[in-house]
Amino acid sequence: MKKERLSSAPKKPMTKSARDTVTCYGIVIVAYIVISILLNGGHVNSSMKGLLIPICAYIVMALSLNLTVGILGELSLGHAGFMSVGAFSGVVAAMSLKGAIASTPLLLAVSMLIAAGCAAIAGFLVGIPVLRLNGDYLAIVTLAFGEIIKNLINCLYVGHDADGLHFAFLKTSDALGLADGGKVIINGPMGVSGIPKLSTFTAGFILILITLFIILNLVHSRQGRAIMAIRDNRIAAESVGINVTQYKLMAFVTSAALAGASGALYAMNFTTVVSSKFNFFTSIIVLVYVVLGGLGNMWGTIISATLLTLLPELLRKFGDYRMLIYALVLIIVMVVSNNANFKAFFTRLFSKEKSADVPSADADTKGGAANE
Amino acid sequence: MKKFISLALCLALMVGCMAGCGSKGNNTSATSASPAASASATAIKIGGTGPLSGAAAIYGTAAKNGAKIAVDEINAMGESIQFDLKYEDDEHDAEKAVNAYNTLKDWGMQISLGSVTSKPCEATSALTYEDRIFALTPSASSTAVTEGKDNQFQMCFSDPNQGTASAQYISDQKLGTKIAVIYKNDDVYSKGIYDKFASKAKELGLNIVSATTFTDDSQTDFTVQLSEAQKAGADLLFLPMYYQPASLILSQAKSMNYAPKFFGVDGMDGILTMEGFDASLAEGVMLLTPFNADSTDEKTQSFVKKYKELYNETPNQFAADAYDCVYALYSACKIAGITSDMDASSICDKMVATFTDANFKFDGLTGTGVTWDKTGAVSKTPKGMVIKNGAYAGM
């Protein structure tokens, strides 16, 4: 990929990023249209139908994490924490505003906005200490914050009655002091039960488009270039007057807010949600989507998140060997996609094709290789 | 160029996956429609989800095995009602449970065994309610599973019942004056029992001197909780939890020379057969459980014998509950006259009517004269057991 950019950049500047943008939107829109047609024709079975919304949520999660890992260049291992903040705040918003807002799409949109807002605040608070660190230390601290968020929500009780919201911490739901007709929304470690199913496939699709719009515009803006400058060399970026903490925080908070919105979409697809779902393992799974899709590569992330969410379900027919095969597939894909020989084989394959019609392409590739 | 080719490949793959599954679903529904009438004319499809992999796998596997034995027995009888059983893995996760449930639906499930564990069952019960599929869960004990759903039934006690029953039992039998509780804070089951136990204890005037918690991440060391209970002078330790952490508590209490009475709930069942556990530590432990693998009645003995032969271990209460579930479905199907060519929703209506019928009584391994009320909760009496000489004995 790098080679191609080196060779083509001088000829047609900006082509690559523009093409990537078109590819991103293209994949999502085409996939949505194709699946909608299939859905209308009744060609999709219920297990695929059930997976559509989780896939949308995971795509948004992976895209938002790619902003932190791929664009900002900081390894975050606690991203599920923000998803969890979004999921729970979104559910609380949806369940307490249910009476006030009659329209389902509007209610979903409002709760997603609140979810994104809460996750952004959490991202900001976590970001202040965390983003002063670098590399491994940052990864470890984000991991810790992810677990802290999980455990805090485990101890949180929220109820709703005619007087509004009631909060309690580390007690039981009786401590909420709800009036008659009040309802416990978050019941500590038991999470939330009886969530209204507001999420729809279309809502998921729109959320992916919004996420792409925000991330791609941020990346191509002045701020985005500053963020990438920090990723490439923090000291150099600082020396030209870029406020490192501010830009890091900007990317981190945006990423957290998007993760929050995806959390709300996810939670409102299931009747129940518990905070232990958003553990370290979920963070890692999302990181796997990002790494497999390519750091900084948005359309790759969309495809890898989709395939890796589908894969365990497609492997169900293998019964007990399912997770074994899943692990093997993951390892093989990781090894193969990073294998130098394999890459060289493809480069050769394509450069041969190119050299047939454009003789200079081969020389270009070699030049690119030498530059590396 | 390269990108476009890889992109095209990926898209082709994706569409292939979707289309492949779509057509697969169509095929199965087509095949299940036609040969169901001819070949397996009487096989009613029952499906369930449970954790067959991951940390909670023992529960799901036990339930699956128990149900399998019952289905095989029923099919061997060669009567008009035959069952076809399928279990799907839900990894003790609501999201995966929904996926597993949808897979079963594509398979053509007519009656559901719900999910084995509580949280996943909450998610799947919402779907079985929506799709009008009758569900009888062996062991998902949370009340949220059945709440507001007319076609959801439980084979086990609900969590609140166990908490209140335990408190009542302790108070009636005057088992202790100062009670300490250790419960698992992030577990619905444990927390649910504790909450009800605490409120009932207050009502009965039982004195809880210490209530400490642990979580999934901290269930290897209990010295802090135990020394707090010891310091408070507790003479009875209530342990609403599954048997793995309980076994650690027993051995750590022993090494601390702290010997209160121990009182457990149905999750404690299985402690005697746990690998690497010194059964002498459990001597004198009391527990409320609906099932006792050492029971002398014929039904239990034959079930335990079969289970040991097939799976090489002693069945726990999950296996017994699932076994009873299948038999309860069997007798209800017989009464309601269910045949395999009926669709799920008409089966559901008939089954609900049968289960809530006042005359419908079920005798199984986990209780006799078991009935269900309209909320879906089961009514059976927990048996108080005490471990004596490495075996259960009635209290």
Side-chain angles (χ1 to χ4, degrees):
Chain A
M1 210 174 286
K2 218 173 217 173
K3 287 168 196 166
E4 197 180 81
R5 190 173 62 202
L6 282 171
S7 61
S8 63
K11 287 180 220 158
K12 296 180 211 161
M14 285 305 291
T15 331
K16 187 184 177 291
S17 73
R19 208 167 51 195
D20 271 0
T21 308
V22 173
T23 315
C24 277
Y25 288 117
I27 291 176
V28 176
I29 293 170
V30 168
Y32 176 73
I33 293 172
V34 169
I35 293 169
S36 298
I37 292 172
L38 287 176
L39 275 177
N40 281 333
H43 296 297
V44 184
N45 60 13
S46 25
S47 77
M48 284 301 129
K49 248 188 253 170
L51 279 168
L52 290 176
I53 299 171
I55 287 177
C56 288
Y58 283 125
I59 289 177
V60 176
M61 267 303 277
L63 286 173
S64 69
L65 184 63
N66 209 343
L67 181 62
T68 307
V69 180
I71 309 294
L72 177 62
E74 297 291 7
L75 188 59
S76 166
L77 298 178
H79 213 53
F82 302 121
M83 189 182 184
S84 149
V85 171
F88 283 93
S89 51
V91 165
V92 169
M95 287 171 87
S96 47
L97 292 174
K98 210 160 81 182
I101 303 174
S103 145
T104 314
L106 186 65
L107 181 58
L108 180 65
V110 169
S111 23
M112 269 187 190
L113 272 180
I114 294 175
C118 290
I121 294 170
F124 182 72
L125 294 177
V126 171
I128 295 170
V130 164
L131 293 174
R132 287 172 199 283
L133 303 167
N134 287 305
D136 303 347
Y137 303 102
L138 188 138
I140 293 165
V141 175
T142 49
L143 189 156
F145 270 104
E147 291 297 300
I148 289 172
I149 292 176
K150 184 187 96 181
N151 284 312
L152 284 182
I153 294 179
N154 242 344
C155 305
L156 179 71
Y157 295 85
V158 178
H160 178 256
D161 64 8
D163 301 335
L165 288 174
H166 295 249
F167 294 89
F169 200 72
L170 268 179
K171 292 179 188 131
T172 60
S173 49
D174 304 331
L176 289 171
L178 290 177
D180 284 345
K183 198 174 174 225
V184 179
I185 299 178
I186 300 180
N187 196 3
M190 298 206 234
V192 190
S193 301
I195 304 171
K197 191 179 184 313
L198 297 176
S199 300
T200 57
F201 179 44
T202 309
F205 162 71
I206 294 170
L207 185 65
I208 295 178
L209 283 189
I210 295 173
T211 307
L212 277 177
F213 180 79
I214 292 174
I215 292 179
L216 292 175
N217 276 329
L218 177 66
V219 169
H220 296 146
S221 68
R222 193 184 138 85
Q223 284 79 10
R225 285 192 294 276
I227 290 167
M228 283 186 281
I230 297 169
R231 171 191 67 186
D232 293 339
N233 193 322
R234 192 177 61 89
I235 296 171
E238 224 168 354
S239 74
V240 294
I242 291 174
N243 185 342
V244 172
T245 315
Q246 184 197 326
Y247 283 111
K248 271 185 166 182
L249 208 54
M250 178 190 276
F252 196 70
V253 169
T254 313
S255 161
L258 292 172
S262 99
L265 179 80
Y266 178 88
M268 276 181 267
N269 181 47
F270 300 105
T271 327
T272 170
V273 63
V274 278
S275 69
S276 56
K277 167 70 196 165
F278 305 104
N279 55 7
F280 173 59
F281 185 70
T282 309
S283 299
I284 291 296
I285 280 284
V286 176
L287 189 64
V288 169
Y289 300 158
V290 172
V291 172
L292 209 59
L295 297 180
N297 181 346
M298 296 303 161
W299 61 264
T301 305
I302 295 176
I303 291 172
S304 70
T306 312
L307 288 183
L308 289 184
T309 316
L310 278 177
L311 193 60
E313 298 310 314
L314 296 178
L315 292 174
R316 266 195 193 277
K317 50 176 97 82
F318 296 103
D320 291 348
Y321 301 102
R322 184 166 71 105
M323 292 324 272
L324 193 71
I325 298 171
Y326 178 66
L328 275 179
V329 170
L330 268 191
I331 294 169
I332 291 169
V333 170
M334 288 281 183
V335 168
V336 164
S337 63
N338 283 314
N339 187 304
N341 288 330
F342 186 79
K343 276 184 180 167
F345 170 75
F346 266 91
T347 321
R348 241 180 296 134
L349 199 76
F350 289 120
S351 59
K352 256 182 210 162
E353 257 177 33
K354 275 183 193 164
S355 62
D357 35 88
V358 192
S360 68
D362 206 31
D364 265 358
T365 323
K366 272 179 195 156
N371 276 348
E372 258 185 27
Chain B
M1 187 62 206
K2 182 179 124 193
K3 204 163 299 143
F4 278 115
I5 290 180
S6 53
L7 180 66
L9 272 174
C10 286
L11 263 179
L13 233 166
M14 254 176 76
V15 172
C17 288
M18 285 283 181
C21 296
S23 57
K24 188 192 79 192
N26 286 348
N27 285 346
T28 45
S29 60
T31 46
S32 66
S34 54
S38 55
S40 52
T42 45
I44 299 167
K45 289 183 171 179
I46 51 180
T49 83
L52 305 179
S53 66
I58 41 165
Y59 313 126
T61 316
K64 181 189 167 190
N65 293 344
K68 182 89 180 43
I69 291 178
V71 165
D72 287 346
E73 282 177 8
I74 289 168
N75 288 348
M77 282 193 253
E79 284 182 31
S80 59
I81 291 174
Q82 301 273 301
F83 285 136
D84 196 357
L85 176 76
K86 189 165 176 172
Y87 252 90
E88 282 288 343
D89 187 11
D90 67 18
E91 299 166 37
H92 186 37
D93 176 20
E95 179 195 343
K96 297 282 154 52
V98 169
N99 294 342
Y101 167 80
N102 281 325
T103 309
L104 289 170
K105 211 171 101 187
D106 289 334
W107 170 65
M109 171 171 67
Q110 288 161 300
I111 301 174
S112 168
L113 285 177
S115 303
V116 172
T117 41
S118 283
K119 267 289 155 186
C121 198
E122 271 181 45
T124 53
S125 68
L127 294 172
T128 41
Y129 178 65
E130 224 171 79
D131 296 329
R132 302 305 301 162
I133 296 176
F134 180 83
L136 174 66
T137 167
S139 48
S141 48
S142 152
T143 42
V145 169
T146 51
E147 225 166 39
K149 299 164 195 124
D150 63 331
N151 61 347
Q152 303 295 315
F153 290 82
Q154 286 169 324
M155 192 71 221
C156 56
F157 309 114
S158 63
D159 293 337
N161 281 350
Q162 283 210 55
T164 27
S166 302
Q168 189 74 53
Y169 202 89
I170 291 173
S171 150
D172 288 353
Q173 310 273 330
K174 299 198 174 49
L175 292 174
T177 48
K178 287 181 171 178
I179 301 166
V181 189
I182 301 178
Y183 66 96
K184 192 173 175 186
N185 197 19
D186 60 350
D187 183 26
V188 185
Y189 170 77
S190 190
K191 181 79 168 56
I193 295 177
Y194 168 71
D195 282 351
K196 291 298 162 190
F197 178 81
S199 60
K200 184 77 182 175
K202 212 174 176 184
E203 196 184 307
L204 294 169
L206 291 173
N207 183 16
I208 298 182
V209 290
S210 142
T212 42
T213 62
F214 64 99
T215 64
D216 220 11
D217 306 322
S218 63
Q219 56 179 345
T220 45
D221 182 34
F222 295 97
T223 40
V224 178
Q225 290 94 326
L226 283 169
S227 47
E228 199 182 311
Q230 193 175 24
K231 222 192 280 167
D235 56 1
L236 182 98
L237 194 52
F238 181 51
L239 306 172
M241 60 182 76
Y242 289 124
Y243 61 86
Q244 299 92 330
S247 69
L248 283 172
I249 290 182
L250 290 176
S251 68
Q252 283 172 11
K254 167 106 178 169
S255 65
M256 284 170 65
N257 283 326
Y258 176 43
K261 285 179 191 163
F262 294 97
F263 196 91
V265 284
D266 61 355
M268 186 82 95
D269 179 48
I271 195 163
L272 291 175
T273 49
M274 190 180 166
E275 225 166 282
F277 177 70
D278 178 8
S280 69
L281 288 174
E283 207 55 35
V285 171
M286 289 167 281
L287 65 156
L288 282 188
T289 175
F291 172 69
N292 170 12
D294 293 325
S295 171
T296 48
D297 72 286
E298 196 192 331
K299 253 189 204 164
T300 311
Q301 279 190 334
S302 99
F303 170 67
V304 172
K305 192 166 153 263
K306 251 182 212 160
Y307 197 97
K308 274 186 179 156
E309 265 168 26
L310 287 168
Y311 307 109
N312 223 354
E313 58 189 11
T314 315
N316 57 16
Q317 158 227 307
F318 286 85
D321 275 333
Y323 180 87
D324 274 0
C325 268
V326 174
Y327 268 100
L329 289 177
Y330 172 70
S331 51
C333 279
K334 233 173 163 178
I335 293 169
I338 305 286
T339 53
S340 61
D341 50 3
M342 291 183 184
D343 62 7
S345 74
S346 52
I347 292 180
C348 174
D349 293 340
K350 287 192 178 179
M351 292 294 268
V352 171
T354 314
F355 264 80
T356 50
D357 189 57
N359 294 325
F360 183 69
K361 278 204 170 65
F362 172 74
D363 293 334
L365 304 177
T366 61
T368 47
V370 176
T371 55
W372 282 267
D373 61 16
K374 285 219 161 24
T375 62
V378 71
S379 77
K380 50 183 182 185
T381 36
K383 295 175 207 158
M385 296 283 174
V386 62
I387 296 173
K388 256 188 208 150
N389 303 325
Y392 290 141
M395 275 202 279

